[in-house]
Amino acid sequence: MIGYLSGPITGHKNYRQQFARAAGTLKEMGYAVINPAELGAALPLDQMSYEDIMKIDMELLATADYLVQLPGWEDSKGANRELGFALGTDKIIVSLERLLTKEVTPS
């Protein structure tokens, strides 16, 4: 199963570190995850519109089995859009905290 990390990016200068820590920890625990904060390594994000980036994010989320909500997702317009998409496509939704404490597994 593949998870998709969802959390605040726009306006958060340390978002790359937050996403990288979450991805690294989850991978160490055996989870496969998509980290959308790494898109800048493959795409010229500074030349793309917010909507173009969100289209790519939604395509990545469409390939995932579950959505992992990072702290602060509630205040993120993009993360809320991702949540709506996940709900509309019957994806499992789980918080990072619950995965880290092994309170739940996305199966």
Side-chain angles (χ1 to χ4, degrees), residues 52-96:
D52 287 339
I53 295 167
M54 285 303 302
K55 286 178 193 173
I56 294 167
D57 287 344
M58 294 303 176
E59 287 295 325
L60 292 171
L61 176 53
T63 67
D65 300 295
Y66 61 98
L67 177 79
V68 179
Q69 296 176 308
L70 302 183
W73 72 267
E74 303 91 343
D75 298 323
S76 168
K77 176 181 168 185
N80 275 281
R81 285 174 66 175
E82 291 165 348
L83 174 60
F85 181 87
L87 288 169
T89 55
D90 293 325
K91 298 204 181 291
I92 299 164
I93 299 162
V94 62
S95 71
L96 175 63

Side-chain angles (χ1 to χ4, degrees), residues 20-66:
R21 276 193 307 272
T25 301
L26 290 174
K27 287 177 183 178
E28 285 176 10
M29 295 174 69
Y31 293 104
V33 295
I34 297 170
N35 180 354
E38 294 178 342
L39 282 178
L43 299 169
L45 298 181
D46 60 335
Q47 303 294 311
M48 299 172 69
S49 72
Y50 176 83
E51 288 304 318
D52 287 339
I53 295 167
M54 285 303 302
K55 286 178 193 173
I56 294 167
D57 287 344
M58 294 303 176
E59 287 295 325
L60 292 171
L61 176 53
T63 67
D65 300 295
Y66 61 98

